[in-house]
Amino acid sequence: MATFSRLGPSLLFFLLLCVFAYGRKTHDMIYVDVRGFSPCVRRMNATHQIGCTSAIKGNSGVVHFINKTTDLDWLITNGPHKPYIPLVTADMFTRKTVDSLMMSGKINGLMVIHTTDTVPPSFGFSPDYSCPNENYGFYTEGLNPEYSHCQKQEWNPWGNQISFLDYDFPIFAMTNMTEILSLIECYHERNDPSPNGKARKYPLCAVELNDRMHGAKDTVTCMRRSTRLTNMEAVGYCDPMGDQNVISYLKPTNKSTPFVNDSLIVIGAKLDTDSLFYDLQPVSGAENDATGFITLLSVIETLSRLPSETKQQMKNIMFALFQGEGWDYIGSSRVVFDMEKGEFPVKQTDDVIQPANVNLGHIAAFLELRQIGLMNASQMWLHTDPVSQGRDPGVKQKTEDIVKELTSASKDYGIDAIGAPTDQGLPPASFQRFLRSGDVSGVVITDHEKEFKNRYYQSRFDLPELVDAEYDNQTEDYISPLAKVLTNVTSVLAQSLVNLAMPNGSTTDAPQADLTLTNQLLYCFLYRPNCTLLRKVLSVGNSKQLSNRPYQRYVGVYTSPNSITHIIEKLVAYFLGEEISAPTLSDCKNPISNDQIFSYDWIAGNHGNGTCWKSYTYKTPALSPAFVIEDWASTEYSTWTESRWTAYSARMFYVASTGQQTILLSIGVIVLLVSMVLVYFVNKKSDVLFSQEEDPY
């Protein structure tokens, strides 16, 4: 008995170790991990939630491959083995398919095939609204009901709202072709119905998808829970969406010489794009945002080559790259908010050298670049606002002057700049947020007269090949057709900006846009960030860490800015700044300690060894004012938040029928009960069973 007592704990530990090791092997024999996927995540605004989530332990379902309409019909009408998790091809993943599957009550998740070889649906696919950002622009029911809900012009007729639906199950984009083929093979071996439509018997091929989201209901509820202390600790469930805007000027400014009214020209573009799936490759947004911000970067570089004496004669030009515009104008609404508070681009502080503040009255003209990569016959459309022009003749005259300058300059570069019909209003654009706060003269420049030419707006199919900018297997020296088009647009804009900024109607020639530079920008942002241009503008350490695949331009949470924002800030600083003599990193610093106008950075430079660069480029918050004033139910400002999550996973396995699982569970319970009874009697009779004869000596 004493010997058993001494050996018991060691024996128990050994048995548990064996059970754990065997259990791990059993797990590996049952499940096959799937790693090539991108999940749909959950977001919330003031009124509701959108996106996807799984149950705490994940969602499981039988695989059903939907490659054609008959596959969908069979599952809805005849499929007996619910819940299912269908594997859907790109052509079959439509709003109609999603609605039918949800209404059937038979699915527990969705897998969508998306690889580098996936062909975009010919009929178009945009998971956004047909009237994007309609409730937070200038044309709302409360402000301008005549133009609300895009009733004058539906800009995105391919919009199916798939990104803005609420799903109580996970949706994954499957990106690894080997794993996709394994799923399809497993389906054909175990699940594919017979030719007469009869369902196969168990065991069946199944998957488990897990992307449990912690946030729920709406932003008001989620933020209240996230800011509440539990056991003296803050527990977070969601975070405000946002990033940083990038702002700079043709000439440095100083608050000691403030702007006066109509003394500043603004040219802007959006920096963000999106799709239904998080962190998806290949990166999308080639037409949606890249054509606009790349052209703006090219304009900045072109104007930076103006002679200093010419710059001094001109009105200043502000370059603005807005973040979070796809989510109810997060970045631009914050810029306007800060302008109205007198805190843009920085909050003024006594005894500190700072840039001059900007407000709406200072803006003489506003130009915005939107989608410009699909110009037909080199036609560039100039959209203007009818409301502000109708109530202010001065705004109307200045708007006409902007259109006239662009139209005139375009003729020299093979571009046909045309005024779009005024009565249809503006397309979705950051300029609308400025108009909400005051009448400003301006134009929105696009490649479309009416509806978008981009049939894949805010979708995973908005890829470089759509805009004729494929750089796969090409060197940096290859010049894409799009680079030539955007270089011409750059020249038109540069000349127009110079003419608008020169005093008393005088003119001067702007520098010619650099085709090689525009092409490098396309190559670096659409194909390979680890390129010659970006390696020069970052620090020596960061330049060595550049990725060989494009960075996402997805807007996440405000506390985690996108890498692309930092890169573009440094790129703008490089174009507008200048090299300073400083032999070492420690010598590269601002000699004036209280100077917030200029920054000094040690960048890799042309030779990669490091050089000191002086610039005046700023990052300003792209966080919605709703989270500054803590009005989480705001109808004036964006209220989008993103749910937190712990991890996401996917795995494939064979599933038995419910009856078989019940039998196995019953057998397990019986074995457990018998074991407990056996252990009880063995323990009760242990003194007899394990007795030892006493040693007579």
Side-chain angles (χ1 to χ4, degrees), residues 22 67 74 225 268 273 278 334 358 526 654 682:
Y22 182 75
N67 188 37
W74 183 90
R225 292 171 177 170
T273 189
Y278 173 77
R334 180 57 186 272
V358 177
L526 298 185
Y654 286 131
V682 168

Side-chain angles (χ1 to χ4, degrees), residues 438-544:
D439 293 339
V440 180
S441 302
V443 300
V444 177
I445 302 166
T446 73
D447 55 18
H448 56 89
E449 177 187 9
K450 295 183 179 294
E451 69 272 4
F452 296 161
K453 289 187 177 178
N454 181 8
R455 293 176 294 170
Y456 308 105
Y457 178 78
Q458 290 280 69
S459 89
R460 65 193 191 278
F461 300 114
D462 186 2
L463 300 172
E465 51 265 33
L466 174 70
V467 290
D468 215 356
E470 292 185 82
Y471 289 90
D472 288 355
N473 304 315
Q474 300 287 356
T475 66
E476 292 187 45
D477 296 327
Y478 166 74
I479 304 294
S480 71
L482 179 63
K484 299 175 183 178
V485 173
L486 297 189
T487 300
N488 288 334
V489 174
T490 298
S491 293
V492 172
L493 291 167
Q495 186 61 64
S496 300
L497 288 166
V498 168
N499 291 345
L500 289 168
M502 289 295 287
N504 304 320
S506 59
T507 61
T508 188
D509 291 336
Q512 293 295 303
D514 186 340
L515 173 60
T516 301
L517 184 279
T518 306
N519 190 70
Q520 283 183 319
L521 290 168
L522 287 167
Y523 179 90
C524 296
F525 287 109
L526 298 185
Y527 181 58
R528 180 170 291 164
N530 186 12
C531 61
T532 303
L533 177 60
L534 297 190
R535 285 196 296 267
K536 289 192 298 187
V537 307
L538 299 179
S539 68
V540 176
N542 287 342
S543 67
K544 295 177 180 178

Side-chain angles (χ1 to χ4, degrees), residues 175-193:
T175 59
N176 185 290
M177 182 53 74
T178 301
E179 293 175 340
I180 291 169
L181 292 175
S182 295
L183 284 165
I184 294 174
E185 181 182 4
C186 185
Y187 164 78
H188 284 305
E189 286 181 355
R190 302 300 315 173
N191 302 9
D192 196 4

Side-chain angles (χ1 to χ4, degrees), residues 41-58:
V41 301
R42 171 164 285 173
R43 302 180 181 98
M44 292 141 286
N45 67 8
T47 58
H48 62 286
Q49 64 185 20
I50 65 171
C52 314
T53 187
S54 70
I56 294 176
K57 296 296 185 180

Side-chain angles (χ1 to χ4, degrees), residues 61 63 112 183 208 215 229 297 325 381 424 518 612-613 651 655:
V63 175
V112 182
L183 284 165
E208 178 189 273
L229 290 178
L297 291 172
E325 295 304 275
W381 294 93
Q424 66 186 14
T518 306
C612 188
W613 209 259
R651 56 186 183 177
V655 63

Side-chain angles (χ1 to χ4, degrees), residues 339-491:
M339 283 184 176
E340 292 176 331
K341 289 175 60 184
E343 297 179 358
F344 181 84
V346 296
K347 185 175 182 178
Q348 299 294 330
T349 305
D350 293 338
D351 301 323
V352 177
I353 302 171
Q354 295 174 302
N357 269 354
V358 177
N359 64 45
L360 290 175
H362 298 152
I363 300 174
F366 193 110
L367 286 72
E368 181 173 356
L369 296 165
R370 277 280 167 158
Q371 304 178 92
I372 54 172
L374 295 173
M375 289 195 293
N376 181 31
S378 297
Q379 290 181 330
M380 185 172 76
W381 294 93
L382 313 176
H383 301 265
T384 59
D385 167 54
V387 177
S388 58
Q389 293 186 78
R391 63 191 178 198
D392 189 333
V395 169
K396 179 177 175 63
Q397 181 60 56
K398 287 188 287 187
T399 300
E400 290 174 351
D401 291 343
I402 299 170
V403 172
K404 180 180 177 181
E405 287 292 351
L406 288 164
T407 303
S408 176
S410 68
K411 293 180 172 58
D412 295 329
Y413 299 99
I415 300 291
D416 187 12
I418 310 170
T422 304
D423 59 357
Q424 66 186 14
L426 294 171
S430 307
F431 183 39
Q432 291 199 32
R433 286 302 308 191
F434 287 77
L435 289 171
R436 279 181 73 115
S437 295
D439 293 339
V440 180
S441 302
V443 300
V444 177
I445 302 166
T446 73
D447 55 18
H448 56 89
E449 177 187 9
K450 295 183 179 294
E451 69 272 4
F452 296 161
K453 289 187 177 178
N454 181 8
R455 293 176 294 170
Y456 308 105
Y457 178 78
Q458 290 280 69
S459 89
R460 65 193 191 278
F461 300 114
D462 186 2
L463 300 172
E465 51 265 33
L466 174 70
V467 290
D468 215 356
E470 292 185 82
Y471 289 90
D472 288 355
N473 304 315
Q474 300 287 356
T475 66
E476 292 187 45
D477 296 327
Y478 166 74
I479 304 294
S480 71
L482 179 63
K484 299 175 183 178
V485 173
L486 297 189
T487 300
N488 288 334
V489 174
T490 298
S491 293

